[in-house]
Amino acid sequence: AARALTYLEEARGLAADLDDRRRAAFLFNLAIGYREVGDFEAAIRAGTQGMALYRAAGAIFESARIENDLALAYLATGQVDRARELAADARRQIEDTGDERWLAAVLDTEAQIALANGEFDEALRLTASARETAARGGNSYVELVSMITEARALRQAGRAVEAEEGFARAARTARESRVPNRLREVLREWADLKAERGDHRGAYELTSEALAVN
């Protein structure tokens, strides 16, 4: 992610010569890059600029996609209400298009927001809906992400055994899908859960696997 962001930043000067729609697409990718490296304020700035350009160009679907990404950036900064507002607006617009690939992504965003607000049952309901929608729409990445969100919700709800099963499913899917960044994330959180439950050997094995992922 950091290397990709470096290339995007190098290209930023050239983006000024693009038309509004292409510049908005560039800013969308830049916002994702900033969010993935943890610079959420920069992600919000780039995403807001991109969303304004898409709206000016009448690209409602693309604008909704940026809104979903902005919701995640605001959530990461602790602004839950603003994140909920953006995700709800994105969901309304994407539902109108019938695009299940992106609807699944928004449903998972809403699940993450519910989880951050301590609404465990709602988070679990939304993750189930996100996973089903992702499977229908052929969005295997969001299917994996929703598994991770579900496992986190189960863990925070105190349902440790089910959470371990959830992390195990997510780890299998991440291995099969060859998504190393998500696999490392799952293995580390699963290891933490095992350590909490007194399974230090299991935690060590998972941590070792996470360190070996490349």
mmCIF file of all heavy atoms in Angstrom, residues 155-186:
data_model
loop_
_atom_site.group_PDB
_atom_site.id
_atom_site.type_symbol
_atom_site.label_atom_id
_atom_site.label_comp_id
_atom_site.label_asym_id
_atom_site.label_seq_id
_atom_site.Cartn_x
_atom_site.Cartn_y
_atom_site.Cartn_z
ATOM 1 N N ARG A 155 -16.193 -11.727 18.827
ATOM 2 C CA ARG A 155 -15.196 -11.572 19.894
ATOM 3 C C ARG A 155 -15.620 -10.486 20.873
ATOM 4 O O ARG A 155 -15.580 -10.684 22.088
ATOM 5 C CB ARG A 155 -13.839 -11.256 19.280
ATOM 6 C CG ARG A 155 -12.730 -11.095 20.317
ATOM 7 C CD ARG A 155 -11.415 -10.703 19.668
ATOM 8 N NE ARG A 155 -10.371 -10.548 20.661
ATOM 9 C CZ ARG A 155 -9.133 -10.124 20.392
ATOM 10 N NH1 ARG A 155 -8.806 -9.811 19.144
ATOM 11 N NH2 ARG A 155 -8.233 -10.018 21.353
ATOM 12 N N GLN A 156 -16.011 -9.339 20.346
ATOM 13 C CA GLN A 156 -16.386 -8.227 21.216
ATOM 14 C C GLN A 156 -17.673 -8.503 21.981
ATOM 15 O O GLN A 156 -17.896 -7.950 23.063
ATOM 16 C CB GLN A 156 -16.509 -6.939 20.402
ATOM 17 C CG GLN A 156 -15.164 -6.427 19.903
ATOM 18 C CD GLN A 156 -15.268 -5.058 19.264
ATOM 19 O OE1 GLN A 156 -16.027 -4.198 19.727
ATOM 20 N NE2 GLN A 156 -14.520 -4.842 18.203
ATOM 21 N N ALA A 157 -18.522 -9.386 21.427
ATOM 22 C CA ALA A 157 -19.763 -9.756 22.107
ATOM 23 C C ALA A 157 -19.525 -10.816 23.178
ATOM 24 O O ALA A 157 -20.466 -11.229 23.862
ATOM 25 C CB ALA A 157 -20.783 -10.260 21.077
ATOM 26 N N GLY A 158 -18.262 -11.262 23.324
ATOM 27 C CA GLY A 158 -17.937 -12.254 24.341
ATOM 28 C C GLY A 158 -18.194 -13.690 23.917
ATOM 29 O O GLY A 158 -18.139 -14.601 24.750
ATOM 30 N N ARG A 159 -18.419 -13.901 22.622
ATOM 31 C CA ARG A 159 -18.684 -15.252 22.105
ATOM 32 C C ARG A 159 -17.393 -15.807 21.516
ATOM 33 O O ARG A 159 -17.206 -15.952 20.326
ATOM 34 C CB ARG A 159 -19.814 -15.186 21.072
ATOM 35 C CG ARG A 159 -21.134 -14.752 21.706
ATOM 36 C CD ARG A 159 -22.150 -14.211 20.725
ATOM 37 N NE ARG A 159 -22.572 -15.161 19.727
ATOM 38 C CZ ARG A 159 -23.524 -14.920 18.816
ATOM 39 N NH1 ARG A 159 -24.142 -13.736 18.820
ATOM 40 N NH2 ARG A 159 -23.849 -15.824 17.921
ATOM 41 N N ALA A 160 -16.454 -16.127 22.421
ATOM 42 C CA ALA A 160 -15.079 -16.445 22.032
ATOM 43 C C ALA A 160 -14.967 -17.682 21.156
ATOM 44 O O ALA A 160 -14.183 -17.696 20.193
ATOM 45 C CB ALA A 160 -14.215 -16.613 23.284
ATOM 46 N N VAL A 161 -15.714 -18.740 21.473
ATOM 47 C CA VAL A 161 -15.620 -19.976 20.682
ATOM 48 C C VAL A 161 -16.064 -19.724 19.245
ATOM 49 O O VAL A 161 -15.388 -20.120 18.283
ATOM 50 C CB VAL A 161 -16.470 -21.100 21.320
ATOM 51 C CG1 VAL A 161 -16.485 -22.332 20.413
ATOM 52 C CG2 VAL A 161 -15.902 -21.471 22.691
ATOM 53 N N GLU A 162 -17.191 -19.032 19.093
ATOM 54 C CA GLU A 162 -17.690 -18.709 17.749
ATOM 55 C C GLU A 162 -16.741 -17.749 17.030
ATOM 56 O O GLU A 162 -16.550 -17.835 15.804
ATOM 57 C CB GLU A 162 -19.078 -18.082 17.844
ATOM 58 C CG GLU A 162 -20.151 -19.042 18.313
ATOM 59 C CD GLU A 162 -21.443 -18.302 18.631
ATOM 60 O OE1 GLU A 162 -22.262 -18.147 17.699
ATOM 61 O OE2 GLU A 162 -21.610 -17.877 19.785
ATOM 62 N N ALA A 163 -16.126 -16.858 17.796
ATOM 63 C CA ALA A 163 -15.171 -15.926 17.190
ATOM 64 C C ALA A 163 -13.967 -16.673 16.640
ATOM 65 O O ALA A 163 -13.493 -16.383 15.535
ATOM 66 C CB ALA A 163 -14.723 -14.898 18.226
ATOM 67 N N GLU A 164 -13.473 -17.656 17.397
ATOM 68 C CA GLU A 164 -12.343 -18.461 16.904
ATOM 69 C C GLU A 164 -12.718 -19.181 15.609
ATOM 70 O O GLU A 164 -11.932 -19.238 14.662
ATOM 71 C CB GLU A 164 -11.910 -19.478 17.966
ATOM 72 C CG GLU A 164 -11.025 -18.886 19.036
ATOM 73 C CD GLU A 164 -9.841 -19.789 19.362
ATOM 74 O OE1 GLU A 164 -9.177 -20.285 18.432
ATOM 75 O OE2 GLU A 164 -9.592 -19.989 20.564
ATOM 76 N N GLU A 165 -13.922 -19.727 15.580
ATOM 77 C CA GLU A 165 -14.387 -20.402 14.358
ATOM 78 C C GLU A 165 -14.453 -19.407 13.202
ATOM 79 O O GLU A 165 -14.098 -19.736 12.064
ATOM 80 C CB GLU A 165 -15.760 -21.030 14.608
ATOM 81 C CG GLU A 165 -15.725 -22.201 15.580
ATOM 82 C CD GLU A 165 -17.121 -22.639 16.024
ATOM 83 O OE1 GLU A 165 -18.113 -21.954 15.636
ATOM 84 O OE2 GLU A 165 -17.225 -23.656 16.739
ATOM 85 N N GLY A 166 -14.894 -18.182 13.513
ATOM 86 C CA GLY A 166 -14.975 -17.151 12.487
ATOM 87 C C GLY A 166 -13.609 -16.762 11.954
ATOM 88 O O GLY A 166 -13.417 -16.614 10.737
ATOM 89 N N PHE A 167 -12.637 -16.582 12.850
ATOM 90 C CA PHE A 167 -11.282 -16.252 12.408
ATOM 91 C C PHE A 167 -10.674 -17.401 11.604
ATOM 92 O O PHE A 167 -9.938 -17.163 10.638
ATOM 93 C CB PHE A 167 -10.395 -15.916 13.608
ATOM 94 C CG PHE A 167 -10.595 -14.528 14.151
ATOM 95 C CD1 PHE A 167 -10.924 -14.320 15.483
ATOM 96 C CD2 PHE A 167 -10.449 -13.415 13.329
ATOM 97 C CE1 PHE A 167 -11.109 -13.041 15.993
ATOM 98 C CE2 PHE A 167 -10.636 -12.124 13.826
ATOM 99 C CZ PHE A 167 -10.969 -11.943 15.158
ATOM 100 N N ALA A 168 -10.987 -18.639 11.987
ATOM 101 C CA ALA A 168 -10.476 -19.796 11.247
ATOM 102 C C ALA A 168 -11.012 -19.798 9.820
ATOM 103 O O ALA A 168 -10.267 -20.046 8.853
ATOM 104 C CB ALA A 168 -10.854 -21.095 11.961
ATOM 105 N N ARG A 169 -12.328 -19.515 9.664
ATOM 106 C CA ARG A 169 -12.918 -19.455 8.319
ATOM 107 C C ARG A 169 -12.282 -18.333 7.502
ATOM 108 O O ARG A 169 -11.959 -18.496 6.325
ATOM 109 C CB ARG A 169 -14.429 -19.220 8.419
ATOM 110 C CG ARG A 169 -15.248 -20.433 8.767
ATOM 111 C CD ARG A 169 -16.731 -20.196 8.543
ATOM 112 N NE ARG A 169 -17.250 -19.102 9.365
ATOM 113 C CZ ARG A 169 -17.695 -19.259 10.624
ATOM 114 N NH1 ARG A 169 -17.678 -20.450 11.187
ATOM 115 N NH2 ARG A 169 -18.166 -18.224 11.292
ATOM 116 N N ALA A 170 -12.105 -17.188 8.131
ATOM 117 C CA ALA A 170 -11.516 -16.041 7.432
ATOM 118 C C ALA A 170 -10.083 -16.340 7.020
ATOM 119 O O ALA A 170 -9.654 -15.971 5.915
ATOM 120 C CB ALA A 170 -11.568 -14.806 8.322
ATOM 121 N N ALA A 171 -9.328 -17.000 7.890
ATOM 122 C CA ALA A 171 -7.937 -17.336 7.565
ATOM 123 C C ALA A 171 -7.877 -18.303 6.387
ATOM 124 O O ALA A 171 -7.040 -18.133 5.479
ATOM 125 C CB ALA A 171 -7.243 -17.945 8.788
ATOM 126 N N ARG A 172 -8.754 -19.301 6.384
ATOM 127 C CA ARG A 172 -8.781 -20.254 5.252
ATOM 128 C C ARG A 172 -9.073 -19.525 3.946
ATOM 129 O O ARG A 172 -8.422 -19.754 2.923
ATOM 130 C CB ARG A 172 -9.860 -21.326 5.485
ATOM 131 C CG ARG A 172 -9.415 -22.510 6.300
ATOM 132 C CD ARG A 172 -10.378 -23.684 6.155
ATOM 133 N NE ARG A 172 -11.761 -23.324 6.428
ATOM 134 C CZ ARG A 172 -12.311 -23.322 7.642
ATOM 135 N NH1 ARG A 172 -11.575 -23.638 8.702
ATOM 136 N NH2 ARG A 172 -13.580 -23.008 7.807
ATOM 137 N N THR A 173 -10.059 -18.655 3.992
ATOM 138 C CA THR A 173 -10.442 -17.911 2.783
ATOM 139 C C THR A 173 -9.313 -16.997 2.328
ATOM 140 O O THR A 173 -9.028 -16.887 1.133
ATOM 141 C CB THR A 173 -11.717 -17.085 3.042
ATOM 142 O OG1 THR A 173 -12.759 -17.967 3.462
ATOM 143 C CG2 THR A 173 -12.159 -16.341 1.796
ATOM 144 N N ALA A 174 -8.642 -16.329 3.277
ATOM 145 C CA ALA A 174 -7.536 -15.429 2.929
ATOM 146 C C ALA A 174 -6.378 -16.203 2.316
ATOM 147 O O ALA A 174 -5.727 -15.727 1.378
ATOM 148 C CB ALA A 174 -7.074 -14.663 4.168
ATOM 149 N N ARG A 175 -6.115 -17.407 2.842
ATOM 150 C CA ARG A 175 -5.043 -18.240 2.263
ATOM 151 C C ARG A 175 -5.398 -18.647 0.835
ATOM 152 O O ARG A 175 -4.573 -18.573 -0.073
ATOM 153 C CB ARG A 175 -4.820 -19.481 3.115
ATOM 154 C CG ARG A 175 -4.198 -19.240 4.476
ATOM 155 C CD ARG A 175 -3.887 -20.560 5.174
ATOM 156 N NE ARG A 175 -3.558 -20.383 6.579
ATOM 157 C CZ ARG A 175 -4.384 -20.629 7.583
ATOM 158 N NH1 ARG A 175 -5.619 -21.081 7.348
ATOM 159 N NH2 ARG A 175 -3.997 -20.444 8.833
ATOM 160 N N GLU A 176 -6.643 -19.105 0.662
ATOM 161 C CA GLU A 176 -7.083 -19.560 -0.666
ATOM 162 C C GLU A 176 -7.133 -18.408 -1.671
ATOM 163 O O GLU A 176 -6.825 -18.598 -2.848
ATOM 164 C CB GLU A 176 -8.470 -20.211 -0.564
ATOM 165 C CG GLU A 176 -8.467 -21.530 0.197
ATOM 166 C CD GLU A 176 -9.867 -21.973 0.617
ATOM 167 O OE1 GLU A 176 -10.847 -21.252 0.282
ATOM 168 O OE2 GLU A 176 -9.980 -23.015 1.289
ATOM 169 N N SER A 177 -7.523 -17.230 -1.188
ATOM 170 C CA SER A 177 -7.652 -16.068 -2.066
ATOM 171 C C SER A 177 -6.324 -15.353 -2.294
ATOM 172 O O SER A 177 -6.240 -14.450 -3.119
ATOM 173 C CB SER A 177 -8.654 -15.070 -1.476
ATOM 174 O OG SER A 177 -9.882 -15.687 -1.213
ATOM 175 N N ARG A 178 -5.322 -15.718 -1.511
ATOM 176 C CA ARG A 178 -3.996 -15.096 -1.601
ATOM 177 C C ARG A 178 -4.071 -13.576 -1.391
ATOM 178 O O ARG A 178 -3.689 -12.794 -2.246
ATOM 179 C CB ARG A 178 -3.323 -15.446 -2.937
ATOM 180 C CG ARG A 178 -3.096 -16.945 -3.086
ATOM 181 C CD ARG A 178 -2.351 -17.289 -4.341
ATOM 182 N NE ARG A 178 -2.156 -18.731 -4.454
ATOM 183 C CZ ARG A 178 -1.524 -19.333 -5.464
ATOM 184 N NH1 ARG A 178 -1.042 -18.607 -6.459
ATOM 185 N NH2 ARG A 178 -1.379 -20.638 -5.477
ATOM 186 N N VAL A 179 -4.602 -13.233 -0.229
ATOM 187 C CA VAL A 179 -4.685 -11.819 0.159
ATOM 188 C C VAL A 179 -3.800 -11.658 1.398
ATOM 189 O O VAL A 179 -4.275 -11.747 2.528
ATOM 190 C CB VAL A 179 -6.141 -11.401 0.470
ATOM 191 C CG1 VAL A 179 -6.229 -9.899 0.702
ATOM 192 C CG2 VAL A 179 -7.077 -11.817 -0.654
ATOM 193 N N PRO A 180 -2.485 -11.442 1.206
ATOM 194 C CA PRO A 180 -1.551 -11.479 2.341
ATOM 195 C C PRO A 180 -1.815 -10.453 3.425
ATOM 196 O O PRO A 180 -1.687 -10.763 4.618
ATOM 197 C CB PRO A 180 -0.177 -11.250 1.680
ATOM 198 C CG PRO A 180 -0.464 -10.659 0.350
ATOM 199 C CD PRO A 180 -1.788 -11.220 -0.064
ATOM 200 N N ASN A 181 -2.188 -9.228 3.054
ATOM 201 C CA ASN A 181 -2.403 -8.214 4.094
ATOM 202 C C ASN A 181 -3.567 -8.594 5.002
ATOM 203 O O ASN A 181 -3.506 -8.416 6.220
ATOM 204 C CB ASN A 181 -2.625 -6.832 3.472
ATOM 205 C CG ASN A 181 -3.846 -6.763 2.579
ATOM 206 O OD1 ASN A 181 -4.138 -7.714 1.851
ATOM 207 N ND2 ASN A 181 -4.556 -5.652 2.597
ATOM 208 N N ARG A 182 -4.627 -9.139 4.415
ATOM 209 C CA ARG A 182 -5.773 -9.564 5.224
ATOM 210 C C ARG A 182 -5.442 -10.819 6.038
ATOM 211 O O ARG A 182 -5.902 -10.979 7.167
ATOM 212 C CB ARG A 182 -6.983 -9.821 4.327
ATOM 213 C CG ARG A 182 -7.603 -8.551 3.773
ATOM 214 C CD ARG A 182 -8.113 -7.663 4.883
ATOM 215 N NE ARG A 182 -8.870 -6.524 4.386
ATOM 216 C CZ ARG A 182 -9.412 -5.597 5.147
ATOM 217 N NH1 ARG A 182 -9.281 -5.656 6.455
ATOM 218 N NH2 ARG A 182 -10.080 -4.595 4.618
ATOM 219 N N LEU A 183 -4.640 -11.724 5.456
ATOM 220 C CA LEU A 183 -4.271 -12.938 6.184
ATOM 221 C C LEU A 183 -3.456 -12.581 7.424
ATOM 222 O O LEU A 183 -3.719 -13.107 8.514
ATOM 223 C CB LEU A 183 -3.481 -13.890 5.280
ATOM 224 C CG LEU A 183 -2.992 -15.182 5.942
ATOM 225 C CD1 LEU A 183 -4.145 -15.966 6.559
ATOM 226 C CD2 LEU A 183 -2.228 -16.043 4.931
ATOM 227 N N ARG A 184 -2.484 -11.683 7.282
ATOM 228 C CA ARG A 184 -1.703 -11.257 8.448
ATOM 229 C C ARG A 184 -2.610 -10.659 9.527
ATOM 230 O O ARG A 184 -2.462 -10.952 10.715
ATOM 231 C CB ARG A 184 -0.651 -10.219 8.022
ATOM 232 C CG ARG A 184 0.590 -10.811 7.374
ATOM 233 C CD ARG A 184 1.686 -9.765 7.237
ATOM 234 N NE ARG A 184 1.283 -8.702 6.322
ATOM 235 C CZ ARG A 184 1.518 -8.714 5.021
ATOM 236 N NH1 ARG A 184 2.146 -9.737 4.462
ATOM 237 N NH2 ARG A 184 1.133 -7.705 4.251
ATOM 238 N N GLU A 185 -3.543 -9.838 9.085
ATOM 239 C CA GLU A 185 -4.484 -9.180 10.005
ATOM 240 C C GLU A 185 -5.295 -10.220 10.778
ATOM 241 O O GLU A 185 -5.430 -10.148 12.004
ATOM 242 C CB GLU A 185 -5.397 -8.303 9.157
ATOM 243 C CG GLU A 185 -6.352 -7.410 9.879
ATOM 244 C CD GLU A 185 -7.190 -6.590 8.892
ATOM 245 O OE1 GLU A 185 -6.808 -6.456 7.711
ATOM 246 O OE2 GLU A 185 -8.229 -6.084 9.323
ATOM 247 N N VAL A 186 -5.836 -11.196 10.060
ATOM 248 C CA VAL A 186 -6.666 -12.238 10.688
ATOM 249 C C VAL A 186 -5.842 -13.067 11.666
ATOM 250 O O VAL A 186 -6.268 -13.319 12.802
ATOM 251 C CB VAL A 186 -7.287 -13.162 9.621
ATOM 252 C CG1 VAL A 186 -7.952 -14.362 10.275
ATOM 253 C CG2 VAL A 186 -8.296 -12.403 8.784
#
